[in-house]
């Protein structure tokens, strides 16, 4: 579904991604692991098109999206949930969802606010509240719901568990598992191994912008040297 | 003053508020989404007025042709706005605020000459609006029908824009983009077209504001800068990005002007400033504004200051030697030009200290230059013609002014601070312009010559070199001192600065005064170098000159202001002899911002790093 | 090093019936606790439980509606943040706040310049002041080798350590740390907390920190307090908190997000 081929990218002259290659298969949840600064968020931003690719190739559903601007990639069916819960603070929950609305891209019925409120019951009672009035957990739910309104086929989730209470992180894990069961493909970046183990099928460990390990989560757990070197566990 | 007269005055205030609201709402809308403080917005207003005037003259008289012309003018201005956005502004959305501002000022210059070339320079007086050329008697006072129509127009536009923003998908997207534009793009919205459409609406509103003024005001080439200062005041009072706030503030300023003119004619801007200052102290983001949610990511990270390397010191010594040698090498004309350059180098350096090092972008630094100049001129005139005393008192006056205005300004940040500084400069300008008995008004003050001993060109040059060149060196020293570092730190992170126990506000206030002091020194010397002083020295273009000099030199280089002042004065000296020099200068400014945002000195600094002559940023 | 050295086992901070509400909502509701010297105390709770509000009242950024805050026996309620800082309360931030256009050493020197009240000095060279002291502090957090690098290009974990050095520059008796390990890899989290614990032991200062990573909290805190909807609902050691039914309900959840009992760090 998504393929990165020897991608170099970064901010200005600073190169963060270094010949990064990875593949995300349809229907899988893939975790991107690594220290802070390893290039996880940069990977996400580069794929969605918020950062330019200096060399290499990004393909999404067979289409070369390397040079696409952000909105075009999104319109192709890629959703992006940024790491710092960027809800629109002055817009209500309903309006936040409206901004995310895009026409469906395949035969499946499009997401409606009603369905999303079923998936995230906390949001229903707050639908007329402004984004800034929500708690951290609710904001994280809203950014995911808002992305779903675009009927994506792949979602990029940047550190979904960061800064959330353990109980909320568990809810988040449940939601991701439900989405996976509905056929969604997800690429997520994580620092929280407990969380990654719960939801991910596959893992890439990256360091200094390159892949150092790839395989299933169980394979990763059987390699203490990888965990120790790149995740300092 | 009868009750009827007061009511009539009140209605006059409301009707002028309408036009002001149209302009300000467009400015606010554009700022909200693009984060660009658009100086050229006043030019759109002026263009709207000219277009409407000529369309009305050209078409047969009648109600339909009149309003048709007004609407056509607004639409054409909207299209011009779109062209400006697509051709220029789209390229600089991620540039620092200063660059954007200067670029839009370049557009102002180009538009001034374009309108002059198209429509001529003489004032124009529009005929009254057909069908609305009578008066209505209210409490026995004659009220023009047209004013009543304008009073109705304001709320109609307010409601329409409000509905557009709050009840349509387009409006929801615009409001979302105001808060986080990258996120809107990541959700699949083509923000380029969203921005362009906002620009169309905003510019058309400015054009409409200008067009409806045709039956009320004379149309002239000064309309752009006079409306923009007022529109800034309205937008700041109302709260950046708030349309309802802009309406309330426009009414407030409209009424203030209507009644202020009875009490303090000509200097109603002083009243407006006082109101603005009070509002901002009670509500730092304006009546209905919100704290700026977005951190300004435009500014790139600055490198740590390094002590000058040996080659750097040698270059510095060479420059000083060359400056000392000037009177031996150049003729009188050259010496005068060099004197000018050194004066403006100090002016630019003081602005750079405020802006580059301390992060307080000032749109009105000319205020302190002019305060120094006028105070010196007045001391010279009234206290026995002593240049020495004048050179002492001038800078003191500038410091006092900077302390007073600075007290308000340093409490704000970013665009709000910049606009308050602009308003402060407008006050100084309007005082020098209107207080004719003391300042000579538009005629300025003449015959302010140096003392006998300093009258020869070379001696005066050396005096300038010691005072202004010395000023530049002292500013540099302060930049490297703990005080300079505190301001630098306050620019990087105010949270950190406060949390290590530093009273940042107090330091910023003092820093503002330091910048004012050195601008004042430059102004004091300037008045003696020219022998005269005019209100122009306090006007917006002078403040922008300073910004352009800093920009030319490069914001992130300490040597920048010096290089910038030199290049700018030489350039100005050369092109001011040409026709359409404004358009040429404006084009140069725009090209510079788009092509070489690091400035000339920054460009050479990058070169020096490449050739290993200077230390650069480490790579990651 | 500082006045409190020989006051072992003393109470550093006492918070008594602290209250703060915003628009009718009680953000902090009748909270009382104490912090002992050399204690590493964690304050945990759901997002929006009032932890940050609580911190803001302790360091003077917010004035409480009711209640008192006493530092070393002195009532500091309502003092402005600079005065609280001078009296010995340091703070690090969840989102790092450092001077990106200065070197690592200059960042620490700035804190020292502020401490010695040299901030209005106009003509000395800032970079030549308090160099040795700055390097000593950087050594303490293991950053001396990076002293001359620009802070703007540091790795995240190093920024956190730099913040720690800055906070230590005025020799605080109490350090407030807002989610000190947020955004770090698991191992880095443990390293930073071990470093902090070492400094606590060596200097006899006290640390109060908020955190969402329960491995960090259960592994490193001497004592844990749980805040929910502005109220303290539990306090005690790791076992007590882990097994508290109410804490599980409102905050910990089913326990899948932290290592099981007995497999803690340290």
């Amino acid at each position: 579904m998504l393929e990165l081929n020897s991608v170099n990218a970064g901010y200005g002259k600073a190169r963060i991604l270094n010949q990064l290659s990875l593949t995300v298969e349809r229907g899988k949840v893939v975790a991107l692991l690594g220290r802070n600064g390893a290039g996880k968020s940069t990977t996400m931003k580069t794929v969605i098109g918020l950062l330019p690719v200096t060399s290499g190739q990004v393909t999404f559903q067979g289409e070369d999206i390397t040079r696409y601007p952000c909105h075009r990639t999104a319109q192709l069916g890629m959703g992006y949930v940024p790491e710092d819960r960027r809800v629109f603070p002055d817009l209500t929950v309903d309006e936040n969802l409206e901004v995310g609305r895009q026409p469906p891209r395949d035969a499946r019925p499009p997401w409606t606010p009603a369905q999303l409120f079923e998936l995230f019951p906390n949001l229903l009672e707050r639908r007329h509240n402004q984004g800034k009035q929500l708690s951290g957990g609710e904001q994280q739910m809203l950014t995911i719901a808002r992305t779903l309104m675009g009927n994506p086929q792949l979602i990029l989730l940047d550190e979904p568990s960061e800064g959330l209470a353990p109980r909320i992180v568990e809810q988040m894990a449940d939601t991701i598992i439900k989405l996976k069961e509905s056929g969604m493909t997800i690429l997520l970046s994580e620092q929280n191994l407990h969380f990654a183990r719960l939801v991910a099928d596959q893992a890439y460990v990256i360091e200094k912008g390159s892949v150092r390990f790839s395989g299933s989560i169980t394979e990763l757990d059987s390699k203490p040297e990888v965990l120790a070197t790149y995740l300092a566990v | 003053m009868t009750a009827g007269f007061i009511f009539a005055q009140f209605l006059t205030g409301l009707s002028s508020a309408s036009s002001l609201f149209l302009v300000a709402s467009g400015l606010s809308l554009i700022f909200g989404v693009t984060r660009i403080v658009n100086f050229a917005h006043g030019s759109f207003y002026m263009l709207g007025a000219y277009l409407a005037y000529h369309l009305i003259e050209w078409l047969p008289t009648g109600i339909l042709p009149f309003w048709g012309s007004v609407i056509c003018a607004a639409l054409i201005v909207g299209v011009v706005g779109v062209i400006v956005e697509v051709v220029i502004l789209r390229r600089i959305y991620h540039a620092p605020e200063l660059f954007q501002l200067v670029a839009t000022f370049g557009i102002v210059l180009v538009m001034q000459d374009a309108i002059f070339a198209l429509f001529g320079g003489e004032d124009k007086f529009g005929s009254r609006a057909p069908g609305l050329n009578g008066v209505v008697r209210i409490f026995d006072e004659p009220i023009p029908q047209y004013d009543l129509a304008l009073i109705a127009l304001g709320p109609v536009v307010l409601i329409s824009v409000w509905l557009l923003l709050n009840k349509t998908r387009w409006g929801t997207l615009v409001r979302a983009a105001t808060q986080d534009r990258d996120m809107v793009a990541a959700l699949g919205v083509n923000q380029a077209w969203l921005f362009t459409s906002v620009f169309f609406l905003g510019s058309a509103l400015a054009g409409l504001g200008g067009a409806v003024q045709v039956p009320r005001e004379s149309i002239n080439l000064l309309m752009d800068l006079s409306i923009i200062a007022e529109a800034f005041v309205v937008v700041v009072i109302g709260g950046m990005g708030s349309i309802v706030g802009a309406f309330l503030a426009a009414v407030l300023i409209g009424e203030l002007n209507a009644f202020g003119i009875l009490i303090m004619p000509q200097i109603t801007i002083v009243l407006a400033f006082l109101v603005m200052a009070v509002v901002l102290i009670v509500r730092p983001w304006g009546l209905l504004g919100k704290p700026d949610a977005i951190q300004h990511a435009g500014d790139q990270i600055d490198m740590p200051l390094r002590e000058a390397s040996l080659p750097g010191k040698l270059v510095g010594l060479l420059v000083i030697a060359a400056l000392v040698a000037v009177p031996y090498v150049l003729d009188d004309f050259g010496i005068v030009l060099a004197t000018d350059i050194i004066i403006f180098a100090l002016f630019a350096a003081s602005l750079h200290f405020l802006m580059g090092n301390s992060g307080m972008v000032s749109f009105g630094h000319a205020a302190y230059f002019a305060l120094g100049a006028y105070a010196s001129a007045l001391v010279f005139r009234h206290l026995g013609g002593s240049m020495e005393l004048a050179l002492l008192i001038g800078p003191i006056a500038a410091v006092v002014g900077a302390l007073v205005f600075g007290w308000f300004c340093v409490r704000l940040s970013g665009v709000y601070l910049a606009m308050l500084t602009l308003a402060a400069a407008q006050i100084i300008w309007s005082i020098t312009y209107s207080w004719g008995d003391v300042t000579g008004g538009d005629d300025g003050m003449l015959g302010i010559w140096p003392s006998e001993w300093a009258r020869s060109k070379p001696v005066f040059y050396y005096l300038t070199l010691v005072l202004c060149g010395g000023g530049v060196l002292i500013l540099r020293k302060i930049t490297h001192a703990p005080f300079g570092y505190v301001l630098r730190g306050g620019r990087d992170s105010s949270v950190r600065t406060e949390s290590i126990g530093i009273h940042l506000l107090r330091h910023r206030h003092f820093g503002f005064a330091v910048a004012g002091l050195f601008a004042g020194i430059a102004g004091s010397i300037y008045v003696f170098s020219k022998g005269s002083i005019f209100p122009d020295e306090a006007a917006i273009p002078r403040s922008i000159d300073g910004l352009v000099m800093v920009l030319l030199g490069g914001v992130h280089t300490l040597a920048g202001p010096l290089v910038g002042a030199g290049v700018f004065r030489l350039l100005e000296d050369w092109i001011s002899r040409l026709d359409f020099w404004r358009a040429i200068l404006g084009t140069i400014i725009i090209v510079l911002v788009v092509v070489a945002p690091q400035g000339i000195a920054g460009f050479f600094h990058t070169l020096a790093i490449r050739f290993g002559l200077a230390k650069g940023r480490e790579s990651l | 090093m500082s006045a409190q050295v020989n006051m072992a086992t003393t109470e550093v901070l006492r918070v008594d019936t602290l209250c703060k509400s915003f628009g009718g909502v009680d953000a902090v509701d009748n909270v009382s606790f104490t912090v002992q010297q050399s204690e590493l105390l964690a304050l945990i709770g759901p997002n929006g439980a009032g932890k940050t509000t609580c911190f803001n009242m302790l360091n003077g950024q917010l004035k409480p509606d009711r209640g008192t805050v006493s530092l070393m026996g002195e009532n500091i309620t309502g003092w402005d943040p600079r005065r609280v800082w001078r009296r010995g309360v340091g703070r690090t931030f969840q989102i790092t706040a450092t001077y990106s256009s200065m070197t690592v050493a200059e960042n620490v020197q700035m804190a020292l310049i502020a401490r010695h009240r040299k901030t209005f000095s106009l003509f000395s060279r800032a970079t030549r002041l308090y160099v040795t002291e700055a390097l000593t502090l950087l050594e303490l957090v293991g950053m001396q080798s990076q002293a001359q690098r620009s802070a703007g290009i540091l790795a995240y974990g190093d920024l956190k350590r730099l913040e720690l050095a800055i906070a230590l520059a005025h020799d605080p008796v109490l350090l407030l740390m807002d989610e000190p390990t947020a955004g770090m890899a698991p191992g880095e989290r443990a390293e930073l907390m071990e470093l902090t614990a070492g400094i606590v032991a060596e200097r006899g200062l006290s640390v109060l920190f908020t955190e969402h990573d329960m491995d960090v909290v259960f592994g490193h805190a001497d004592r844990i307090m749980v805040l929910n909807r502005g109220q303290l609902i539990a306090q005690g050691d790791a076992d007590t908190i882990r097994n508290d039914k109410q804490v599980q309900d409102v905050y910990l959840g089913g326990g899948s997000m932290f290592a099981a009992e007995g497999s803690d760090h340290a």
Side-chain angles (χ1 to χ4, degrees):
Chain A
M1 176 149 238
L2 177 74
E3 201 177 329
L4 274 73
N5 207 337
S6 309
V7 168
N8 290 330
Y11 300 83
K13 282 171 199 154
R15 189 205 265 187
I16 313 278
L17 300 190
N18 201 349
Q19 300 288 328
L20 183 85
S21 300
L22 60 84
T23 313
V24 180
E25 281 168 43
R26 190 177 296 273
K28 290 275 196 279
V29 175
V30 177
L32 212 50
L33 306 171
R35 286 174 214 262
N36 202 286
K40 302 187 301 296
S41 289
T42 310
T43 307
M44 300 288 193
K45 287 183 186 157
T46 307
V47 170
I48 188 69
L50 284 172
L51 286 175
V53 176
T54 22
S55 72
Q57 198 186 31
V58 185
T59 21
F60 177 53
Q61 317 217 50
E63 190 165 342
D64 183 351
I65 59 162
T66 316
R67 306 264 163 251
Y68 280 16
C70 188
H71 66 94
R72 208 166 149 199
T73 307
Q75 284 169 0
L76 278 178
M78 196 188 295
Y80 168 65
V81 180
E83 61 187 322
D84 31 14
R85 303 200 274 274
R86 282 151 68 175
V87 299
F88 302 113
D90 293 340
L91 268 53
T92 63
V93 169
D94 276 345
E95 286 174 332
N96 265 280
L97 294 179
E98 169 64 20
V99 175
R101 183 166 61 81
Q102 291 286 330
R105 269 158 281 269
D106 49 25
R108 281 185 301 177
W111 283 95
T112 60
Q115 286 171 305
L116 289 169
F117 291 138
E118 240 168 73
L119 193 61
F120 304 106
N122 298 8
L123 292 181
L124 180 61
E125 57 191 272
R126 315 219 54 177
R127 60 189 295 180
H128 300 298
N129 286 99
Q130 288 177 314
K132 64 184 168 203
Q133 296 167 329
L134 307 184
S135 74
E138 289 166 336
Q139 290 188 350
Q140 186 64 278
M141 307 279 173
L142 178 57
T143 48
I144 295 177
R146 185 178 66 183
T147 304
L148 288 173
M149 281 297 284
N151 299 299
Q153 285 138 337
L154 166 72
I155 301 184
L156 310 174
L157 275 177
D158 203 354
E159 308 226 3
S161 76
E162 181 58 48
L164 296 180
R167 195 176 68 93
I168 307 290
V169 179
E170 286 181 347
Q171 281 180 13
M172 189 69 65
D174 284 345
T175 308
I176 289 174
I177 291 164
K178 271 188 208 155
L179 286 174
K180 185 171 89 171
E181 283 163 357
S182 79
M184 186 70 75
T185 315
I186 293 169
L187 174 64
L188 59 88
S189 79
E190 256 313 324
Q191 302 270 18
N192 184 339
L193 274 177
H194 302 296
F195 181 77
R197 284 188 187 111
L198 270 187
V199 300
D201 305 304
Q202 263 199 307
Y204 282 90
V205 176
I206 62 174
E207 170 79 7
K208 291 192 174 150
S210 309
V211 173
R212 302 299 161 100
F213 166 89
S214 72
S216 72
I217 285 280
T218 23
E219 277 176 83
L220 177 63
D221 273 330
S222 67
K223 294 213 161 116
E225 74 283 1
V226 173
L227 291 173
T229 315
Y230 303 116
L231 303 175
V233 175
Chain B
M1 233 186 274
T2 66
F5 175 76
I6 289 176
F7 189 69
Q9 208 60 23
F10 173 73
L11 291 180
T12 310
L14 276 188
S15 63
S16 48
S18 273
S19 169
L20 193 53
F21 163 67
L22 293 180
V23 180
S25 64
L27 187 67
S28 196
L29 203 59
I30 288 175
F31 173 81
V33 177
T34 64
R35 299 275 133 185
I36 283 188
V37 178
N38 185 17
F39 248 114
H41 205 68
S43 308
F44 294 150
Y45 166 84
M46 178 162 79
L47 181 65
Y50 272 93
L51 284 171
Y53 170 83
H54 284 278
L55 282 168
I56 293 166
E57 294 292 302
W58 180 60
L59 290 168
T61 313
I63 296 176
L64 201 63
F66 175 85
W67 290 106
S69 303
V70 166
I71 289 172
C72 267
L75 293 178
I76 296 172
V77 172
V79 172
V80 172
V82 166
I83 295 171
V84 166
E85 197 269 346
V86 171
V87 175
I88 301 166
L89 299 181
R90 201 174 264 195
R91 293 163 214 284
I92 55 170
Y93 280 139
H94 289 283
E97 279 161 11
L98 160 72
F99 292 61
Q100 300 172 338
L101 173 94
V102 167
T104 63
F105 192 75
I107 300 169
V108 169
L109 294 175
V110 173
M111 295 261 295
Q112 271 178 356
D113 267 1
I115 290 173
F116 173 72
L118 282 172
F119 304 114
E122 69 281 6
D123 284 17
K124 296 175 197 296
F125 300 92
S127 44
R128 297 220 199 131
L132 291 170
N133 45 12
V135 294
V136 179
R137 295 235 160 229
I138 300 178
F139 295 126
D140 255 7
E141 293 285 335
I143 309 291
Q145 288 172 330
Y146 188 70
D147 279 12
L148 293 177
L150 280 191
I151 292 173
L153 181 66
V156 167
V157 171
L158 171 66
I159 291 168
S160 316
V161 174
W162 189 89
L163 287 175
L164 200 56
L165 284 176
N166 288 283
K167 298 292 166 198
T168 65
R169 176 170 163 86
W170 180 82
T172 308
L173 295 181
V174 166
R175 285 184 296 133
T178 303
Q179 291 158 38
D180 190 341
R181 45 192 188 191
D182 279 348
M183 204 54 235
V184 172
L187 290 168
V189 177
N190 185 346
Q191 54 168 348
W193 286 109
L194 196 61
F195 280 27
T196 307
S197 59
V198 167
F199 225 90
F200 175 80
L201 180 63
S203 311
L205 283 172
L208 186 62
V212 296
Q213 286 297 78
V214 171
R216 300 182 86 224
E217 270 185 16
S218 79
I219 314 298
N220 59 59
L221 286 169
L222 299 174
M223 291 172 82
D224 53 353
L225 290 185
S226 66
I227 193 80
I228 197 71
E230 268 194 351
F232 278 178
V233 170
V234 167
V235 168
V236 169
I237 291 180
M240 282 297 212
S242 166
I243 302 296
V244 180
F247 184 75
L248 294 178
V251 170
L252 190 63
I253 295 298
E255 292 304 337
L256 212 56
N257 284 342
F259 288 101
I261 210 152
L262 304 173
I263 306 158
M264 279 209 281
Q266 299 292 319
I267 41 176
T268 48
I269 184 98
V270 178
L271 280 177
F273 173 82
L274 289 178
V275 171
M276 174 156 109
V278 170
V279 168
L280 289 183
I281 286 180
V282 182
R283 295 191 61 94
W285 292 281
L287 290 174
L288 298 180
K290 301 194 181 74
D292 209 351
I294 300 170
Q295 288 296 311
H296 297 283
D299 223 336
Q300 73 253 70
I301 304 168
D302 212 353
M303 281 188 287
L305 290 174
R306 306 270 182 200
E307 288 185 31
S309 58
L310 190 61
K313 281 180 180 155
L314 282 177
V315 170
L317 284 175
L318 277 177
V319 169
I320 291 173
L323 287 173
V324 171
V326 159
Y328 298 96
V329 189
L330 300 178
D331 57 3
D332 271 8
F333 178 76
I335 295 173
V336 169
L337 195 61
T339 308
D340 238 29
I341 289 176
I342 295 170
I343 291 171
F344 280 99
L346 179 60
F347 176 56
S350 70
L351 178 58
H352 180 262
F353 176 76
L354 195 62
M355 224 169 60
N357 190 64
S358 319
M360 295 185 271
V361 176
S362 169
F363 290 178
H365 203 51
Y368 313 103
F369 184 83
L371 266 178
Y374 268 98
S376 291
L378 288 170
V379 166
F380 181 84
R381 172 73 46 87
H382 297 292
L383 294 177
S386 159
M387 174 185 84
E388 293 77 6
L389 192 61
L391 288 183
L392 182 71
I393 304 289
I396 292 176
V399 168
V400 173
L403 281 173
V404 172
F405 290 131
W407 191 87
F408 296 101
C409 295
V410 299
R411 281 168 165 65
L412 308 172
S413 60
V415 182
Y416 284 89
L417 184 149
M419 296 213 169
L420 202 54
T421 56
L422 180 105
Q426 282 298 100
I427 287 184
I428 301 295
W429 175 81
S430 78
I431 290 172
T432 59
Y433 189 80
S434 323
W435 203 10
D437 297 342
V438 177
T439 62
D442 204 15
D443 298 328
M445 297 170 74
L446 307 171
I448 322 287
W449 296 111
S451 299
E452 204 63 52
W453 62 269
R455 203 158 283 179
S456 87
K457 297 263 184 293
V459 173
F460 192 79
Y461 171 80
Y462 283 124
L463 178 67
T464 307
L465 187 59
V466 168
L467 288 180
C468 293
V472 171
L473 289 180
I474 292 173
L475 269 175
R476 191 184 149 82
K477 189 90 188 146
I478 295 176
T479 306
H480 283 278
F483 180 68
Y485 266 69
V486 167
L487 293 178
R488 197 176 169 79
R491 180 198 68 181
D492 283 0
S493 170
S494 57
V495 176
R496 169 50 66 204
T497 309
E498 287 284 342
S499 76
I500 55 174
I502 294 175
H503 196 316
L504 182 58
L505 215 56
R506 200 173 284 161
H507 288 77
R508 277 161 58 107
H509 193 192
F510 187 64
F512 202 92
V514 168
L517 169 71
F518 287 98
I521 293 176
S524 293
I525 282 277
Y526 178 80
V527 72
F528 286 100
S529 80
K530 294 289 176 235
S532 58
I533 179 78
F534 300 97
D536 282 357
E537 296 309 327
I540 293 173
R542 173 61 78 220
S543 291
I544 304 283
D545 283 354
L547 292 173
V548 173
M549 288 177 217
V550 173
L551 176 69
L552 266 173
V555 186
H556 295 288
T557 336
L558 287 181
L562 317 182
V563 180
V567 173
F568 183 78
R569 286 312 274 188
L570 291 173
L571 197 69
E572 206 184 28
D573 188 61
W574 171 58
I575 56 173
S576 59
R577 299 170 203 168
L578 308 172
D579 287 340
F580 298 115
W581 65 270
R582 282 192 197 86
I584 297 170
L585 185 63
T587 311
I588 291 174
I589 291 172
I590 294 167
V591 169
L592 191 84
V593 169
V594 175
V595 178
Q598 82 245 51
I600 299 171
F603 176 74
F604 282 111
H605 191 69
T606 313
L607 271 191
I609 291 170
R610 185 159 303 164
F611 291 110
L613 291 171
K615 261 195 185 171
R617 190 195 307 249
E618 296 167 78
S619 56
L620 279 163
Chain C
M1 205 149 188
S2 49
Q4 71 281 1
V5 171
N6 46 16
M7 300 175 74
T9 75
T10 44
E11 180 178 290
V12 171
L13 184 80
R14 168 173 285 273
V15 174
D16 205 28
T17 59
L18 207 59
C19 296
K20 179 81 192 175
S21 62
F22 298 107
V25 180
D26 293 325
V28 171
D29 186 8
N30 234 351
V31 167
S32 304
F33 63 89
T34 59
V35 183
Q36 305 298 319
Q37 196 189 359
S38 295
E39 193 174 27
L40 200 57
L41 179 59
L43 180 63
I44 62 174
N47 307 88
K51 302 186 295 288
T52 306
T53 307
C54 199
F55 266 32
N56 286 343
M57 285 192 282
L58 297 186
N59 88 326
Q61 259 168 285
L62 273 179
K63 304 222 179 308
D65 295 339
R66 215 149 48 74
T68 53
V69 180
S70 315
L71 184 72
M72 311 291 294
E74 183 175 22
N75 186 347
I76 61 162
T77 321
W79 285 19
D80 76 60
R82 288 183 297 275
R83 200 166 158 211
V84 177
W85 174 83
R86 289 213 176 275
R87 204 47 63 100
V89 178
R91 184 167 181 183
T92 67
F93 297 91
Q94 183 189 345
I95 300 162
T96 54
T98 53
Y99 300 135
S100 55
S101 75
M102 296 184 196
T103 65
V104 168
E106 283 166 7
N107 266 276
V108 183
Q109 283 168 276
M110 283 303 296
L112 291 162
I113 285 169
R115 179 186 179 186
H116 295 282
R117 298 179 186 266
K118 288 275 198 292
T119 55
F120 274 107
S121 168
L122 288 179
F123 299 108
S124 51
R125 242 181 206 281
T127 47
R128 294 188 190 159
L129 295 173
Y130 313 113
V131 179
T132 352
E133 290 96 317
L135 290 178
T136 312
L137 284 165
L138 286 173
E139 194 176 351
L140 195 63
V141 299
M143 286 288 291
Q144 74 276 38
S145 63
Q146 304 197 57
Q148 292 313 315
R149 295 187 73 196
S150 165
I153 58 167
L154 286 186
Y156 188 75
D158 291 342
L159 274 179
K160 290 272 183 185
R161 291 196 286 168
L162 172 57
E163 280 222 313
L164 193 54
I166 294 171
L168 291 172
H170 76 307
D171 217 357
V173 292
L174 173 68
L175 195 55
L176 305 174
M177 301 176 84
D178 216 339
E179 299 199 25
T181 74
M184 297 176 110
E188 290 178 296
R189 292 174 192 246
E191 278 168 27
L192 185 81
M193 290 317 288
E194 274 153 29
L195 175 67
T196 310
I199 293 168
V200 163
E202 189 189 316
R203 300 203 145 195
L205 59 77
S206 310
V207 170
L208 176 62
F209 70 103
T210 65
E211 189 56 67
H212 278 307
D213 184 325
M214 289 306 111
D215 292 337
V216 165
V217 171
F218 292 146
H220 297 277
D222 298 325
R223 192 155 59 93
I224 301 161
M225 300 187 294
V226 188
L227 206 57
N228 184 44
R229 293 172 189 267
Q231 294 179 320
L232 270 187
I233 58 166
Q235 53 180 312
D237 61 11
D239 282 344
T240 317
I241 298 300
R242 217 179 338 229
N243 298 318
D244 187 306
K245 184 73 180 62
Q246 198 187 356
V247 177
Q248 288 172 0
D249 282 351
V250 302
Y251 184 69
L252 291 177
S256 61
M257 284 307 140
F258 44 89
E261 209 167 332
S263 62
D264 302 345
H265 305 267

